[in-house]
Amino acid sequence: QVPLVESGGGSAQAGGSLNLSCANSRYSSKLYCMAWFRRIPGKERERVATIDTDGTTDYAESVEGRFTISRDNAKNTLYLQMNSLKPEDTATYYCAAVYGDCRSWRNERAHWGQGTPVTVSS
């Protein structure tokens, strides 16, 4: 069983919304910092949002005020609500987990999902 499985990607118009989900079958939110990343072809992977073990959230400047990261511990699911989408949000989105709080984040220590593509058209 793949421990992190993303869903909810797809196509949207600029100004629209999408809600991504990540089913988490292994990593306790009490012990792991959870995050959403995205990768645009030809560019470096970008951290989009994190939610810490204590529930504290943090966002990339490029998505601040438009995206919301949340989790449902009962459902073991991580979410990324994306509003006011822009064409530059087009990317493959990945959820990830690192043991410890978010200050200890290291990409090389992270566990990754397989990604879900998002396309935003103008």
Side-chain angles (χ1 to χ4, degrees), residues 57 80 102-103 105:
T57 58
L80 184 68
C102 290
R103 292 171 297 178
W105 189 279

Side-chain angles (χ1 to χ4, degrees), residues 1-78:
Q1 184 181 11
V2 179
L4 295 172
V5 180
E6 302 93 337
S7 62
S11 299
Q13 294 284 325
S17 300
L18 286 172
N19 189 26
L20 305 184
S21 299
C22 176
N24 171 13
S25 62
R26 183 175 296 176
Y27 308 109
S28 169
S29 60
K30 296 180 181 180
L31 300 177
Y32 286 79
C33 171
M34 302 298 298
W36 286 97
F37 279 72
R38 65 187 180 187
R39 186 191 293 274
I40 300 169
K43 293 191 176 182
E44 291 289 320
R45 183 169 42 194
E46 175 188 18
R47 181 160 50 178
V48 174
T50 59
I51 184 164
D52 217 329
T53 52
D54 64 357
T56 303
T57 58
D58 190 48
Y59 298 90
E61 188 175 324
S62 58
V63 307
E64 181 84 53
R66 300 189 296 122
F67 290 10
T68 303
I69 187 171
S70 63
R71 65 187 182 210
D72 185 329
N73 293 336
K75 295 182 179 180
N76 293 322
T77 303
L78 180 73

